[in-house]
Every structure is written in structure tokens, then in C-alpha cells.
Amino acid sequence: VADVDRAKLEAEADRLRSALLTSISHDLKTPLAAIMGAAGTLREFAPALPEADRADLLSTVLDESERLNRFIANLLDMTKIESGAMEPNYGFHYVGDIVGTALHRARKIIGEHKTEMDIPTDLPMLRVDPVLFEQALFNLLDNAAKYAPPASTIRLQGWADNGSVIVQVMDEGPGIPPADLERIFDTFHRVRKGDQVRAGTGLGLSICRGFIEAMGGTISAANRTDRSGAVFTIRMPVPANQHVNDPDMDDLP
């Protein structure tokens, strides 16, 4: 039995390594090619290019560098999660502040979309790692911007429910195919869509789940019932010394 279990673990490790190599060779090559192309054009033809064209090429270098940095950060985060090295730095935080920070950080990615935020100011504070929670929200915003059409609305809303705080990220894209609902948080799994979807490593949602679960919460995916689109729901427990309907935080340690 031990040998069979060991063989299964080795096979899974081989599968993940193969998926990782495929992801790196295919997805990381895209921003690298754009960076090299823009930088090469600037090196060879910068004096002859109009100022607007030079600015566009520099913007391409910066944007693709940021995308490449996100890919690498996701790979490192996934390594930490799977190795069990993730240690949340807990503190008491208001979820609306973290949502606002995530929106600001993702402003370039969601720039072609409308955003709505409905987070009540009287929600109880949560004991979370703000960096991990913000990264989970950032990945959800990145996912929404990737699959929802430009000019559509990305909505973030929150409320208190039965000893928990709920945060939802909703988009107006095509939704999640039923066959993908159970696998959407799997490592390297990506919902297939047309060529207009930006490249990605297929790690963003898996990292969301890893971070949220590391902080004692849960995350789930579903399709909207009011219109086309996906909805991701994060449920975080309220610390035991708080009451969901009591916004008084004076007794917090």
C-alpha cells in the first residue's frame, strides 16, 4: 500500500512538473516576446520614431514586464502553498480597506471595465493577513477582466452572514462552463475561451483558494442567476470575540 501511495505521489509530482514546464514555455514566452520586440525596435529605430510611437513601445515594455512579474509571483506563491511554507501574518482588518487596495492595484488590468463596490462600513473586522487577502482579491479581479468583455461591470459586494463575512466578485462574462465548475480552482486549470483572452499560467484561482483556506476561509465559484457572468464567493469567519451585528471594535485585543 505504501509503495502504491508513493507511486501515486510521484506520478502527481511528475504531472505537475510537466504542467509547470508547459505553462512556462507557452505563457511566459508571450510577454517576453513583446518585451524583446518593443525593446529591439527602440534600440534600432528610436531616433526615427515619432514621440507617440516611442511612448507606445515603452508602455508595452512596462505593461508586459508587469504581466511577467505577476506570472512569476504566482509561480512562487503556488510553490509556497504546495510546500506548506505559507505562514499568514494575522491582524484585525476591515475588509473594505483591503478591497479598495486591491482595486487600486488592479486599476490597469480592469481599466476597460466599470467597477462597482458595495462593502458596508459596519462590517466586523476580520483576522486575516492583508497581503494574502489582497492578492486573492487581485487574482479574482484579474480573472474577471480576462474573461468579461470591455465596458462590462465588475462588482464587488460584501455582507455579514451567520458569523461570517461574505465577499463576492461578480463579472458579466460568459460564465463558467458546467464541466469546469468543479475544477476551476485546480492548479494549472484554465477555462478555454477564444484567442482574445490574455495569457495566464492557470494559477490565479488556485492561489486564491490556497490563500483563503490558509486563513480559515472558503471560496467557491458559480454562475450568476440574474444574468450571464461568474460569481466568486469568499466566506471568512468572524473572530470569536466579535458579533456580526456589533460594529463596536473597542474590545479587540
Side-chain angles (χ1 to χ4, degrees):
V1 171
D3 289 342
V4 170
D5 289 342
R6 190 179 305 110
K8 288 181 179 179
L9 289 175
E10 291 175 354
E12 179 66 13
D14 287 340
R15 188 188 68 81
L16 286 175
R17 277 193 293 269
S18 176
L20 176 60
L21 290 173
T22 301
S23 175
I24 291 174
S25 63
H26 181 266
D27 293 322
L28 302 192
K29 189 188 299 181
T30 303
L32 276 175
I35 293 169
M36 293 172 65
T41 301
L42 284 170
R43 185 183 65 181
E44 297 293 332
F45 306 107
L49 291 174
E51 181 62 28
D53 290 344
R54 290 200 300 270
D56 287 342
L57 288 169
L58 285 172
S59 178
T60 296
V61 171
L62 289 173
D63 290 346
E64 295 301 317
S65 296
E66 290 176 358
R67 191 201 304 189
L68 184 61
N69 184 60
R70 290 198 302 273
F71 288 172
I72 295 172
N74 278 345
L75 290 169
L76 294 175
D77 287 340
M78 200 68 238
T79 300
K80 292 179 182 178
I81 291 172
E82 294 188 340
S83 68
M86 186 61 60
E87 291 289 340
N89 184 17
Y90 287 111
F92 286 97
H93 299 273
Y94 168 58
V95 69
D97 292 338
I98 303 177
V99 169
T101 303
L103 282 170
H104 179 74
R105 182 180 161 205
R107 62 190 183 280
K108 281 189 176 181
I109 297 173
I110 60 178
E112 296 183 350
H113 298 76
K114 302 173 185 176
T115 56
E116 295 179 353
M117 175 177 165
D118 182 14
I119 308 291
T121 58
D122 61 350
L123 287 179
M125 297 179 78
L126 297 176
R127 184 174 178 269
V128 296
D129 182 321
V131 175
L132 299 188
F133 200 86
E134 179 198 324
Q135 184 63 47
L137 291 172
F138 179 89
N139 286 357
L140 291 179
L141 291 170
D142 183 37
N143 185 78
K146 186 182 300 181
Y147 287 96
S152 62
T153 299
I154 299 173
R155 177 176 174 81
L156 295 96
Q157 60 187 22
W159 67 92
D161 176 61
N162 194 29
S164 299
V165 168
I166 311 297
V167 179
Q168 284 188 333
V169 178
M170 312 170 72
D171 63 52
E172 297 180 344
I176 305 168
D180 289 302
L181 278 172
E182 295 298 323
R183 302 181 55 206
I184 198 160
F185 293 105
D186 289 353
T187 305
F188 300 114
H189 181 73
R190 285 178 292 183
V191 174
R192 294 298 176 186
K193 195 169 176 276
D195 293 337
Q196 70 272 22
V197 174
R198 301 195 313 271
T201 55
L203 290 174
L205 295 181
S206 182
I207 289 169
C208 287
R209 182 178 64 180
F211 284 0
I212 294 301
E213 290 182 351
M215 294 182 289
T218 62
I219 182 171
S220 59
N223 287 312
R224 297 179 63 167
T225 57
D226 58 330
R227 57 166 303 141
S228 174
V231 53
F232 292 88
T233 303
I234 297 173
R235 178 181 289 268
M236 298 298 300
V238 174
N241 61 342
Q242 294 187 68
H243 298 287
V244 171
N245 296 320
D246 182 6
D248 186 2
M249 298 293 114
D250 293 339
D251 59 343
L252 286 178

PDB file of all heavy atoms in Angstrom, residues 40-67:
ATOM      1  N   GLY A  40      13.797  45.907 -28.851  1.00  0.00           N
ATOM      2  CA  GLY A  40      14.620  45.858 -30.059  1.00  0.00           C
ATOM      3  C   GLY A  40      14.280  46.972 -31.035  1.00  0.00           C
ATOM      4  O   GLY A  40      15.167  47.587 -31.641  1.00  0.00           O
ATOM      5  N   THR A  41      12.994  47.263 -31.199  1.00  0.00           N
ATOM      6  CA  THR A  41      12.577  48.351 -32.080  1.00  0.00           C
ATOM      7  C   THR A  41      13.100  49.690 -31.579  1.00  0.00           C
ATOM      8  O   THR A  41      13.580  50.524 -32.357  1.00  0.00           O
ATOM      9  CB  THR A  41      11.044  48.388 -32.189  1.00  0.00           C
ATOM     10  OG1 THR A  41      10.569  47.140 -32.697  1.00  0.00           O
ATOM     11  CG2 THR A  41      10.590  49.503 -33.116  1.00  0.00           C
ATOM     12  N   LEU A  42      13.010  49.901 -30.251  1.00  0.00           N
ATOM     13  CA  LEU A  42      13.519  51.150 -29.684  1.00  0.00           C
ATOM     14  C   LEU A  42      15.029  51.278 -29.891  1.00  0.00           C
ATOM     15  O   LEU A  42      15.537  52.362 -30.201  1.00  0.00           O
ATOM     16  CB  LEU A  42      13.177  51.211 -28.191  1.00  0.00           C
ATOM     17  CG  LEU A  42      11.730  51.535 -27.834  1.00  0.00           C
ATOM     18  CD1 LEU A  42      11.482  51.327 -26.337  1.00  0.00           C
ATOM     19  CD2 LEU A  42      11.399  52.979 -28.212  1.00  0.00           C
ATOM     20  N   ARG A  43      15.745  50.193 -29.719  1.00  0.00           N
ATOM     21  CA  ARG A  43      17.200  50.244 -29.873  1.00  0.00           C
ATOM     22  C   ARG A  43      17.601  50.583 -31.304  1.00  0.00           C
ATOM     23  O   ARG A  43      18.530  51.370 -31.549  1.00  0.00           O
ATOM     24  CB  ARG A  43      17.814  48.911 -29.458  1.00  0.00           C
ATOM     25  CG  ARG A  43      19.348  48.924 -29.486  1.00  0.00           C
ATOM     26  CD  ARG A  43      19.914  47.571 -29.146  1.00  0.00           C
ATOM     27  NE  ARG A  43      19.559  46.567 -30.154  1.00  0.00           N
ATOM     28  CZ  ARG A  43      19.907  45.282 -30.089  1.00  0.00           C
ATOM     29  NH1 ARG A  43      20.609  44.838 -29.053  1.00  0.00           N
ATOM     30  NH2 ARG A  43      19.544  44.432 -31.027  1.00  0.00           N
ATOM     31  N   GLU A  44      16.886  49.995 -32.272  1.00  0.00           N
ATOM     32  CA  GLU A  44      17.284  50.157 -33.659  1.00  0.00           C
ATOM     33  C   GLU A  44      16.743  51.434 -34.296  1.00  0.00           C
ATOM     34  O   GLU A  44      17.412  52.059 -35.127  1.00  0.00           O
ATOM     35  CB  GLU A  44      16.806  48.947 -34.481  1.00  0.00           C
ATOM     36  CG  GLU A  44      17.417  47.629 -34.048  1.00  0.00           C
ATOM     37  CD  GLU A  44      18.900  47.558 -34.328  1.00  0.00           C
ATOM     38  OE1 GLU A  44      19.362  48.224 -35.278  1.00  0.00           O
ATOM     39  OE2 GLU A  44      19.610  46.846 -33.575  1.00  0.00           O
ATOM     40  N   PHE A  45      15.525  51.828 -33.919  1.00  0.00           N
ATOM     41  CA  PHE A  45      14.861  52.894 -34.673  1.00  0.00           C
ATOM     42  C   PHE A  45      14.400  54.074 -33.815  1.00  0.00           C
ATOM     43  O   PHE A  45      13.666  54.922 -34.314  1.00  0.00           O
ATOM     44  CB  PHE A  45      13.635  52.326 -35.414  1.00  0.00           C
ATOM     45  CG  PHE A  45      13.946  51.148 -36.277  1.00  0.00           C
ATOM     46  CD1 PHE A  45      13.556  49.878 -35.915  1.00  0.00           C
ATOM     47  CD2 PHE A  45      14.647  51.315 -37.470  1.00  0.00           C
ATOM     48  CE1 PHE A  45      13.846  48.784 -36.718  1.00  0.00           C
ATOM     49  CE2 PHE A  45      14.942  50.225 -38.276  1.00  0.00           C
ATOM     50  CZ  PHE A  45      14.546  48.958 -37.909  1.00  0.00           C
ATOM     51  N   ALA A  46      14.804  54.129 -32.562  1.00  0.00           N
ATOM     52  CA  ALA A  46      14.300  55.183 -31.667  1.00  0.00           C
ATOM     53  C   ALA A  46      14.454  56.594 -32.242  1.00  0.00           C
ATOM     54  O   ALA A  46      13.505  57.395 -32.190  1.00  0.00           O
ATOM     55  CB  ALA A  46      14.980  55.082 -30.304  1.00  0.00           C
ATOM     56  N   PRO A  47      15.621  56.977 -32.791  1.00  0.00           N
ATOM     57  CA  PRO A  47      15.761  58.353 -33.299  1.00  0.00           C
ATOM     58  C   PRO A  47      14.772  58.698 -34.412  1.00  0.00           C
ATOM     59  O   PRO A  47      14.395  59.869 -34.577  1.00  0.00           O
ATOM     60  CB  PRO A  47      17.208  58.398 -33.821  1.00  0.00           C
ATOM     61  CG  PRO A  47      17.913  57.303 -33.071  1.00  0.00           C
ATOM     62  CD  PRO A  47      16.885  56.218 -32.920  1.00  0.00           C
ATOM     63  N   ALA A  48      14.372  57.677 -35.208  1.00  0.00           N
ATOM     64  CA  ALA A  48      13.498  57.949 -36.346  1.00  0.00           C
ATOM     65  C   ALA A  48      12.022  57.831 -36.010  1.00  0.00           C
ATOM     66  O   ALA A  48      11.168  58.190 -36.829  1.00  0.00           O
ATOM     67  CB  ALA A  48      13.844  56.993 -37.499  1.00  0.00           C
ATOM     68  N   LEU A  49      11.696  57.336 -34.818  1.00  0.00           N
ATOM     69  CA  LEU A  49      10.296  57.124 -34.456  1.00  0.00           C
ATOM     70  C   LEU A  49       9.668  58.398 -33.906  1.00  0.00           C
ATOM     71  O   LEU A  49      10.328  59.146 -33.169  1.00  0.00           O
ATOM     72  CB  LEU A  49      10.192  56.015 -33.404  1.00  0.00           C
ATOM     73  CG  LEU A  49      10.516  54.590 -33.859  1.00  0.00           C
ATOM     74  CD1 LEU A  49      10.515  53.647 -32.646  1.00  0.00           C
ATOM     75  CD2 LEU A  49       9.504  54.114 -34.894  1.00  0.00           C
ATOM     76  N   PRO A  50       8.391  58.642 -34.226  1.00  0.00           N
ATOM     77  CA  PRO A  50       7.682  59.751 -33.590  1.00  0.00           C
ATOM     78  C   PRO A  50       7.587  59.535 -32.070  1.00  0.00           C
ATOM     79  O   PRO A  50       7.632  58.402 -31.589  1.00  0.00           O
ATOM     80  CB  PRO A  50       6.296  59.702 -34.244  1.00  0.00           C
ATOM     81  CG  PRO A  50       6.479  58.926 -35.512  1.00  0.00           C
ATOM     82  CD  PRO A  50       7.583  57.944 -35.232  1.00  0.00           C
ATOM     83  N   GLU A  51       7.440  60.614 -31.352  1.00  0.00           N
ATOM     84  CA  GLU A  51       7.392  60.537 -29.895  1.00  0.00           C
ATOM     85  C   GLU A  51       6.257  59.625 -29.420  1.00  0.00           C
ATOM     86  O   GLU A  51       6.415  58.860 -28.468  1.00  0.00           O
ATOM     87  CB  GLU A  51       7.195  61.938 -29.318  1.00  0.00           C
ATOM     88  CG  GLU A  51       7.146  61.991 -27.793  1.00  0.00           C
ATOM     89  CD  GLU A  51       8.437  61.530 -27.143  1.00  0.00           C
ATOM     90  OE1 GLU A  51       9.512  61.677 -27.777  1.00  0.00           O
ATOM     91  OE2 GLU A  51       8.377  61.012 -26.011  1.00  0.00           O
ATOM     92  N   ALA A  52       5.100  59.692 -30.097  1.00  0.00           N
ATOM     93  CA  ALA A  52       3.957  58.868 -29.690  1.00  0.00           C
ATOM     94  C   ALA A  52       4.273  57.384 -29.846  1.00  0.00           C
ATOM     95  O   ALA A  52       3.891  56.569 -28.990  1.00  0.00           O
ATOM     96  CB  ALA A  52       2.728  59.234 -30.518  1.00  0.00           C
ATOM     97  N   ASP A  53       4.973  57.004 -30.909  1.00  0.00           N
ATOM     98  CA  ASP A  53       5.327  55.602 -31.130  1.00  0.00           C
ATOM     99  C   ASP A  53       6.333  55.129 -30.086  1.00  0.00           C
ATOM    100  O   ASP A  53       6.245  53.996 -29.589  1.00  0.00           O
ATOM    101  CB  ASP A  53       5.899  55.409 -32.528  1.00  0.00           C
ATOM    102  CG  ASP A  53       4.850  55.578 -33.615  1.00  0.00           C
ATOM    103  OD1 ASP A  53       3.650  55.535 -33.271  1.00  0.00           O
ATOM    104  OD2 ASP A  53       5.221  55.755 -34.791  1.00  0.00           O
ATOM    105  N   ARG A  54       7.285  55.976 -29.741  1.00  0.00           N
ATOM    106  CA  ARG A  54       8.247  55.597 -28.695  1.00  0.00           C
ATOM    107  C   ARG A  54       7.539  55.401 -27.364  1.00  0.00           C
ATOM    108  O   ARG A  54       7.840  54.460 -26.613  1.00  0.00           O
ATOM    109  CB  ARG A  54       9.338  56.667 -28.569  1.00  0.00           C
ATOM    110  CG  ARG A  54      10.286  56.733 -29.742  1.00  0.00           C
ATOM    111  CD  ARG A  54      11.596  57.428 -29.372  1.00  0.00           C
ATOM    112  NE  ARG A  54      11.374  58.798 -28.930  1.00  0.00           N
ATOM    113  CZ  ARG A  54      11.372  59.868 -29.747  1.00  0.00           C
ATOM    114  NH1 ARG A  54      11.564  59.692 -31.048  1.00  0.00           N
ATOM    115  NH2 ARG A  54      11.195  61.070 -29.279  1.00  0.00           N
ATOM    116  N   ALA A  55       6.583  56.268 -27.073  1.00  0.00           N
ATOM    117  CA  ALA A  55       5.830  56.145 -25.813  1.00  0.00           C
ATOM    118  C   ALA A  55       5.026  54.847 -25.788  1.00  0.00           C
ATOM    119  O   ALA A  55       4.946  54.176 -24.755  1.00  0.00           O
ATOM    120  CB  ALA A  55       4.906  57.344 -25.632  1.00  0.00           C
ATOM    121  N   ASP A  56       4.433  54.478 -26.946  1.00  0.00           N
ATOM    122  CA  ASP A  56       3.670  53.230 -27.018  1.00  0.00           C
ATOM    123  C   ASP A  56       4.569  52.026 -26.785  1.00  0.00           C
ATOM    124  O   ASP A  56       4.185  51.068 -26.087  1.00  0.00           O
ATOM    125  CB  ASP A  56       2.971  53.099 -28.374  1.00  0.00           C
ATOM    126  CG  ASP A  56       1.783  54.038 -28.507  1.00  0.00           C
ATOM    127  OD1 ASP A  56       1.302  54.516 -27.454  1.00  0.00           O
ATOM    128  OD2 ASP A  56       1.345  54.283 -29.646  1.00  0.00           O
ATOM    129  N   LEU A  57       5.758  52.047 -27.368  1.00  0.00           N
ATOM    130  CA  LEU A  57       6.679  50.924 -27.199  1.00  0.00           C
ATOM    131  C   LEU A  57       7.154  50.816 -25.753  1.00  0.00           C
ATOM    132  O   LEU A  57       7.245  49.716 -25.200  1.00  0.00           O
ATOM    133  CB  LEU A  57       7.872  51.080 -28.147  1.00  0.00           C
ATOM    134  CG  LEU A  57       7.577  50.851 -29.634  1.00  0.00           C
ATOM    135  CD1 LEU A  57       8.759  51.294 -30.490  1.00  0.00           C
ATOM    136  CD2 LEU A  57       7.253  49.383 -29.897  1.00  0.00           C
ATOM    137  N   LEU A  58       7.443  51.949 -25.128  1.00  0.00           N
ATOM    138  CA  LEU A  58       7.845  51.927 -23.715  1.00  0.00           C
ATOM    139  C   LEU A  58       6.704  51.431 -22.836  1.00  0.00           C
ATOM    140  O   LEU A  58       6.920  50.684 -21.878  1.00  0.00           O
ATOM    141  CB  LEU A  58       8.275  53.328 -23.278  1.00  0.00           C
ATOM    142  CG  LEU A  58       9.647  53.795 -23.781  1.00  0.00           C
ATOM    143  CD1 LEU A  58       9.873  55.268 -23.435  1.00  0.00           C
ATOM    144  CD2 LEU A  58      10.752  52.944 -23.175  1.00  0.00           C
ATOM    145  N   SER A  59       5.480  51.830 -23.168  1.00  0.00           N
ATOM    146  CA  SER A  59       4.321  51.353 -22.412  1.00  0.00           C
ATOM    147  C   SER A  59       4.170  49.844 -22.554  1.00  0.00           C
ATOM    148  O   SER A  59       3.836  49.144 -21.585  1.00  0.00           O
ATOM    149  CB  SER A  59       3.053  52.060 -22.897  1.00  0.00           C
ATOM    150  OG  SER A  59       1.914  51.594 -22.211  1.00  0.00           O
ATOM    151  N   THR A  60       4.436  49.323 -23.748  1.00  0.00           N
ATOM    152  CA  THR A  60       4.380  47.874 -23.962  1.00  0.00           C
ATOM    153  C   THR A  60       5.400  47.160 -23.094  1.00  0.00           C
ATOM    154  O   THR A  60       5.101  46.135 -22.470  1.00  0.00           O
ATOM    155  CB  THR A  60       4.636  47.543 -25.443  1.00  0.00           C
ATOM    156  OG1 THR A  60       3.591  48.103 -26.243  1.00  0.00           O
ATOM    157  CG2 THR A  60       4.688  46.037 -25.667  1.00  0.00           C
ATOM    158  N   VAL A  61       6.620  47.694 -23.047  1.00  0.00           N
ATOM    159  CA  VAL A  61       7.659  47.082 -22.218  1.00  0.00           C
ATOM    160  C   VAL A  61       7.235  47.052 -20.764  1.00  0.00           C
ATOM    161  O   VAL A  61       7.366  46.028 -20.072  1.00  0.00           O
ATOM    162  CB  VAL A  61       8.997  47.844 -22.381  1.00  0.00           C
ATOM    163  CG1 VAL A  61      10.017  47.345 -21.361  1.00  0.00           C
ATOM    164  CG2 VAL A  61       9.534  47.676 -23.792  1.00  0.00           C
ATOM    165  N   LEU A  62       6.699  48.154 -20.260  1.00  0.00           N
ATOM    166  CA  LEU A  62       6.288  48.223 -18.861  1.00  0.00           C
ATOM    167  C   LEU A  62       5.116  47.292 -18.573  1.00  0.00           C
ATOM    168  O   LEU A  62       5.115  46.553 -17.581  1.00  0.00           O
ATOM    169  CB  LEU A  62       5.918  49.663 -18.491  1.00  0.00           C
ATOM    170  CG  LEU A  62       7.083  50.652 -18.394  1.00  0.00           C
ATOM    171  CD1 LEU A  62       6.575  52.068 -18.195  1.00  0.00           C
ATOM    172  CD2 LEU A  62       8.015  50.260 -17.260  1.00  0.00           C
ATOM    173  N   ASP A  63       4.090  47.328 -19.434  1.00  0.00           N
ATOM    174  CA  ASP A  63       2.897  46.501 -19.204  1.00  0.00           C
ATOM    175  C   ASP A  63       3.235  45.015 -19.246  1.00  0.00           C
ATOM    176  O   ASP A  63       2.777  44.240 -18.393  1.00  0.00           O
ATOM    177  CB  ASP A  63       1.825  46.819 -20.252  1.00  0.00           C
ATOM    178  CG  ASP A  63       1.219  48.196 -20.065  1.00  0.00           C
ATOM    179  OD1 ASP A  63       1.424  48.791 -18.985  1.00  0.00           O
ATOM    180  OD2 ASP A  63       0.559  48.684 -21.001  1.00  0.00           O
ATOM    181  N   GLU A  64       4.034  44.610 -20.240  1.00  0.00           N
ATOM    182  CA  GLU A  64       4.370  43.196 -20.346  1.00  0.00           C
ATOM    183  C   GLU A  64       5.324  42.763 -19.233  1.00  0.00           C
ATOM    184  O   GLU A  64       5.285  41.616 -18.782  1.00  0.00           O
ATOM    185  CB  GLU A  64       4.983  42.903 -21.714  1.00  0.00           C
ATOM    186  CG  GLU A  64       4.036  43.115 -22.888  1.00  0.00           C
ATOM    187  CD  GLU A  64       2.789  42.255 -22.788  1.00  0.00           C
ATOM    188  OE1 GLU A  64       2.903  41.061 -22.427  1.00  0.00           O
ATOM    189  OE2 GLU A  64       1.689  42.784 -23.043  1.00  0.00           O
ATOM    190  N   SER A  65       6.167  43.681 -18.760  1.00  0.00           N
ATOM    191  CA  SER A  65       7.035  43.368 -17.629  1.00  0.00           C
ATOM    192  C   SER A  65       6.210  43.138 -16.375  1.00  0.00           C
ATOM    193  O   SER A  65       6.490  42.228 -15.586  1.00  0.00           O
ATOM    194  CB  SER A  65       8.042  44.496 -17.392  1.00  0.00           C
ATOM    195  OG  SER A  65       8.920  44.635 -18.486  1.00  0.00           O
ATOM    196  N   GLU A  66       5.183  43.960 -16.186  1.00  0.00           N
ATOM    197  CA  GLU A  66       4.295  43.777 -15.038  1.00  0.00           C
ATOM    198  C   GLU A  66       3.559  42.446 -15.133  1.00  0.00           C
ATOM    199  O   GLU A  66       3.380  41.746 -14.133  1.00  0.00           O
ATOM    200  CB  GLU A  66       3.294  44.928 -14.952  1.00  0.00           C
ATOM    201  CG  GLU A  66       3.925  46.264 -14.547  1.00  0.00           C
ATOM    202  CD  GLU A  66       2.933  47.403 -14.572  1.00  0.00           C
ATOM    203  OE1 GLU A  66       1.761  47.164 -14.934  1.00  0.00           O
ATOM    204  OE2 GLU A  66       3.325  48.537 -14.233  1.00  0.00           O
ATOM    205  N   ARG A  67       3.111  42.084 -16.340  1.00  0.00           N
ATOM    206  CA  ARG A  67       2.423  40.805 -16.506  1.00  0.00           C
ATOM    207  C   ARG A  67       3.369  39.643 -16.217  1.00  0.00           C
ATOM    208  O   ARG A  67       3.012  38.679 -15.534  1.00  0.00           O
ATOM    209  CB  ARG A  67       1.874  40.670 -17.922  1.00  0.00           C
ATOM    210  CG  ARG A  67       0.921  39.471 -18.050  1.00  0.00           C
ATOM    211  CD  ARG A  67       0.745  38.972 -19.459  1.00  0.00           C
ATOM    212  NE  ARG A  67       0.290  39.986 -20.386  1.00  0.00           N
ATOM    213  CZ  ARG A  67      -0.095  39.703 -21.643  1.00  0.00           C
ATOM    214  NH1 ARG A  67      -0.064  38.450 -22.064  1.00  0.00           N
ATOM    215  NH2 ARG A  67      -0.474  40.651 -22.459  1.00  0.00           N
TER     216      ARG A  67
END
